[in-house]
Amino acid sequence: MSQHHDTSHLRPAVPERPSLDGLEEKWDRAWSAQGAYAFEPGARRDEVFSIDTPPPTVSGSLHVGHVFSYTHTDIIARFERMRGKNVFYPMGWDDNGLPTERRVQNYYGVRCDPSLPYDPDFSPPRQGQAGGQGAKASKAADQVPVSRRNFVELCERLSSEDEKQFEALWRRLGLSVDWSQTYQTIDAHARATSQLAFLRNLARGEAYQQLAPTLWDVTFRTAVAQAELVDRDQPGAYHRVAFALTDPILPDAAAPAPSPAIHIETTRPELLPACVALVAHPDDERYQPLFGRHVKVPLFGAEVPVVAHRLATPDKGSGIAMVCTFGDVTDVIWWRELHLPTRAILGWDGRILPEPPMGVDSPAGKAAYQELAGLTVFSARRRVVEMLRQSGDLEGDPQPITHPVKFFEKGEKPLEIIPTRQWYLTNGGADEALRARLLARGDELTWHPDFMRVRYQNWVEGLNSDWLISRQRFFGVPFPVWYPVDQFGHPVHDRPITPPEDRLPVDPASDTPAGYRPDQRGQPGGFIADPDVMDTWATSSLTPQIATRWRDDPALFESTFPMDLRPQAQDIIRTWLFATVVRADLEQRSLPFKDAAISGFILDPDRKKMSKSQGNVVTPMGLLEQHGSDAVRYWAASARLGTDAAFEPGQMKVGRRLAIKILNASKFSLSFLAAGPETSPPDRPGAPLTLDPALVTEPLDRSMLANLNAVVEAATEALANYDHTRALEVTETFFWTFCDDYIELVKARVNGAAGAVGEASARAALGLALSVLLRLFAPFQPFATEEVWSWWHAAGQSVHRQPWPDPLGLPEPGDRAVLAVAGGVLGALRKAKSEAKVSMRTELAAATVAVPAALAPAAVAAKADITAAARAHQLTLAASDTETIDLVSATLQP
RNA sequence: GGGCCCAUAGCUCAGUUGGUUAGAGCAUCACGUUUACACCGUGGAGGUCGUCCGUUCGAGUCGGACUGGGCCCACCA
């Protein structure tokens, strides 16, 4: 550890009236100019601390929750930097995905059409729609179609505007990010990295295509992955529908005669034409005689079997269900496991297909189907109910219920299940060995707090399919894949053409694969592009590889990966965190990061999760301007990881008070450092002073430093374990004791009232304590501490580049009890004055205080300091057998 | 249906392996302008630690049940 206390200036330049105003701008500028937070390349991995910063969504807006959780990360970054680590702290911007796509559409009045050629001179029809993101999507007809490359360029243009505002906020908050290390999730490097990882997955067989029933959002007309599902309670109704047996029942005396019709109860009668079977539980005696027989679907006439399956629940509805292709995910299981035919009737737009499926063959059935063709699900349902009523196949009235229905988390209509060709990536959902390996990764990762690990486990254990990574959108990272077109004009999906890795990123919609000419696109014997883009998580799951430049900077990658820390919110463990673990496991066979720090949410005063939709949300910049950044950081720092925290301006006021106190207490302490000749080398007046622990001889001073040493140890251990609240708490508690008791106790002595030795002791102790305290507070209050540090250190000697304090080396350990007992005695004397309703300045003619016998020697050691601080003429310290410090008597000076 | 977290002063929260009289800040009340700080200081008041049972010489702390709040997961006809 270097001799930090040798760099101080003899004559501190302390302002007359210290103030927090303007410190954010002042020090942000200085840190930028100094490169205070620059990562230094060429380091060994063990010298580096690397952070996988969450890239905020630039098309959204920052809210108080961001300020909260990013502060937690910054505290750790600053701590590790002071501990000597070369901190790799990049910032990414998430400008990939649906929110950005919508924002660009509305803002510029354009829409992406990948089939169009790139127009280098394109200029958007409009820009700067007021309230861009909140505005209703403009009609597709009003939007000018542009090529994907043009669309991406507009996105980058808009994002860069957003990024400026975001960066300004982060700088004001004091995040010690290295602003030369930034990336965007849609930029060329991220696209290339994403495509490269995909090609490697493809080569290893981890990525594959499959034509399969797919959860489908009819509004966005895209496939949706398991991780993007949410259940929402929806009104619905059970419709009791009769199915007639097609074959006559053979007389059997042993079995009870089954009823002539079988009744099922369904919430989705519009799917009757898609019905492929009825299913009941194999043990259900009511239906056992029917297994293997067939029934006729009412109205549509298809003949379907009655089958048995363990997932049918006897006590639900009538105990027998109709299987449709596809009404819900259970239908998919039945369809797959019972080898049932496919009768798809829904199109990508969520409307009933124009032609009836195979099986609906009778004239009556076809006629009935024509009544539905082209209708939405909602209208078709109403029409089918009417028709069932007419035919007499509906028994009674539909019974209204409320039931959970699956939605895309960003969607407004229930998901449908539609057979489509999609790309999948293995994630353990269909492979027990991989699942076990990923569960082991969850165990290997260190979670803060530890109980968050359970969410990961729950998710991995509950996976029921591989990760669907293709999306039928136009904006995003395209799959770097073409297909040969056969002589009949059909794409050959099982022979994908891929580009060489050094050609990435590619846009297959405009780039031509090797060996083909551009004019062969779409022609028999030519090629065609894969039309899809990747799920945004397929790219953001690679943030460690993107930030550390796995693809193109092996030296940087080597010194920063696997990263040390992934900070993130608890609600995206199943998406971002899990997906990142999957990608690193598949590609690097390692964890992507060692530690995960999970932040809680911010709750508004009503204990509800603060959300943007509530309108009355405070803007983060307004908050920082109102309270000051150190104050807001203090509020954030007083909440533990993983715990939801209340939005509490009161805590910010406390933080501001602390910052001001740091300025004032420092000003006071430094005023004595300037005064004494013995603190500077005699041959070099004006040269840096020496704060020598050997000068600290008074018991009270040594006690104070011993207590400070304990604080250093506790704070260091806490921060090393990501427990920033504990570190702040012990530091702050000590600091207030330091101000209220210690400084008051030494005021007289440091002014020379007890001679030169005592004065030098107090002066050195004040200086040493100040140096340590400023460094302990630096991660929490970077602006106030830097301001104070600058008063007595050379320009450019940022406190944030100083070594984290070690316990001070004292010639002899101090007795920690002296400070506490001296404060206790002082408190008893203050109480006497307070109860007499006189000023603290009032002199005491005589006073006696009882002190527990065990503590009496410690009290006596500080007696002169106590006497002076209490302005007592005569002080008696009486050893007592009680365990508290009590005032025995006090006589005020008249 | 399975699981996780939480419940301590009016409010926001600490309370480390069980151990004297359960702490802090805010708010509140009283007093004091004191040569670092009125963006202040000093002191006071305020809690049967959600409920019940158990383990123990001893429980805010450990175990069980329950109540209430928040969240995650689930194949939800």
Side-chain angles (χ1 to χ4, degrees), chain A residues 246-263:
Chain A
T246 54
D247 45 349
I249 300 290
L250 298 173
D252 183 345
S259 56
I262 300 165
H263 290 90

Side-chain angles (χ1 to χ4, degrees), chain A residues 67-271:
Chain A
V67 168
F68 177 73
S69 55
Y70 281 74
T71 297
H72 295 162
T73 307
D74 186 62
I75 289 165
I76 296 302
R78 289 180 181 278
F79 168 65
E80 294 291 351
R81 191 178 292 111
M82 292 176 78
R83 284 223 287 183
K85 285 289 171 66
N86 187 358
V87 175
F88 182 69
Y89 190 6
M91 181 62 69
W93 308 110
D94 187 12
D95 47 9
N96 181 6
L98 271 175
T100 306
E101 176 172 347
R102 274 194 271 183
R103 181 152 151 77
V104 170
Q105 282 177 347
N106 295 336
Y107 193 89
Y108 292 114
V110 298
R111 127 180 94 81
C112 181
D113 181 347
S115 68
L116 293 175
Y118 176 62
D119 175 0
D121 302 320
F122 178 77
S123 159
R126 65 160 193 267
Q127 56 184 288
Q129 277 282 320
Q133 70 190 100
K136 265 273 187 229
S138 44
K139 289 227 173 71
D142 302 338
Q143 294 171 341
V144 177
V146 299
S147 74
R148 177 143 58 201
R149 188 163 155 197
N150 284 113
F151 196 88
V152 168
E153 282 179 1
L154 289 175
C155 165
E156 288 176 332
R157 198 157 118 191
L158 184 56
S159 297
S160 70
E161 293 301 311
D162 295 332
E163 285 161 22
K164 281 179 200 148
Q165 291 184 29
F166 277 47
E167 183 175 332
L169 180 75
W170 289 147
R171 284 178 175 278
R172 184 163 186 116
L173 180 61
L175 296 191
S176 58
V177 162
D178 180 351
W179 290 105
S180 69
Q181 305 279 353
T182 60
Y183 63 87
Q184 295 143 312
T185 55
I186 197 62
D187 69 19
H189 170 64
R191 295 202 306 274
T193 305
S194 187
Q195 291 183 333
L196 176 61
F198 171 80
L199 291 177
R200 299 274 180 94
N201 292 138
L202 183 62
R204 288 192 297 261
E206 294 149 0
Y208 61 92
Q209 284 188 94
Q210 197 174 30
L211 180 61
T214 307
L215 284 160
W216 187 267
D217 186 285
V218 299
T219 310
F220 292 106
R221 299 188 192 179
T222 183
V224 170
Q226 188 183 353
E228 295 169 304
L229 301 183
V230 287
D231 283 354
R232 294 190 191 141
D233 279 332
Q234 293 289 302
Y238 279 129
H239 301 75
R240 191 169 165 86
V241 179
F243 283 64
L245 284 160
T246 54
D247 45 349
I249 300 290
L250 298 173
D252 183 345
S259 56
I262 300 165
H263 290 90
I264 58 102
E265 291 187 8
T266 178
T267 56
R268 304 212 52 184
E270 74 278 12
L271 293 181

Side-chain angles (χ1 to χ4, degrees), chain A residues 821 849-856 878-888:
Chain A
V821 74
V849 177
V851 177
L855 294 174
S880 92
D881 54 3
T882 65
E883 304 202 347
T884 52
I885 298 171
D886 300 300
L887 183 74
V888 176

Side-chain angles (χ1 to χ4, degrees), chain A residues 287-423:
Chain A
Y287 299 108
Q288 276 172 353
L290 302 177
F291 294 144
R293 300 188 191 282
H294 287 73
V295 293
K296 192 180 230 180
V297 177
L299 301 179
F300 303 98
E303 293 191 6
V304 300
V306 180
V307 294
H309 193 275
R310 68 194 146 77
L311 287 183
T313 16
D315 53 358
K316 194 174 289 181
S318 56
I320 187 163
M322 74 170 181
V323 184
C324 302
T325 53
F326 297 92
D328 64 27
V329 290
T330 319
D331 282 343
V332 178
I333 295 171
W334 283 326
W335 167 81
R336 188 186 297 134
E337 296 191 3
L338 300 170
H339 306 290
L340 297 168
T342 307
R343 285 185 191 133
I345 64 163
L346 279 178
W348 288 14
D349 54 1
R351 290 174 183 272
I352 307 293
L353 290 170
E355 295 302 322
M358 301 259 288
V360 178
D361 303 324
S362 66
K366 284 182 172 173
Y369 188 87
Q370 286 313 311
E371 296 282 318
L372 307 181
L375 296 184
T376 62
V377 165
F378 181 82
S379 305
R381 182 176 307 167
R382 197 188 295 174
R383 184 73 190 107
V384 165
V385 169
E386 287 169 9
M387 291 159 68
L388 285 171
R389 260 193 232 281
Q390 260 178 359
S391 68
D393 294 311
L394 183 68
E395 188 181 287
D397 285 324
Q399 298 299 309
I401 55 157
T402 300
H403 61 153
V405 176
K406 287 194 189 306
F407 280 72
F408 174 38
E409 59 189 357
K410 296 186 174 71
E412 284 154 13
K413 288 187 175 173
L415 291 174
E416 296 296 348
I417 297 173
I418 293 178
T420 51
R421 174 178 297 279
Q422 303 287 348
W423 282 103

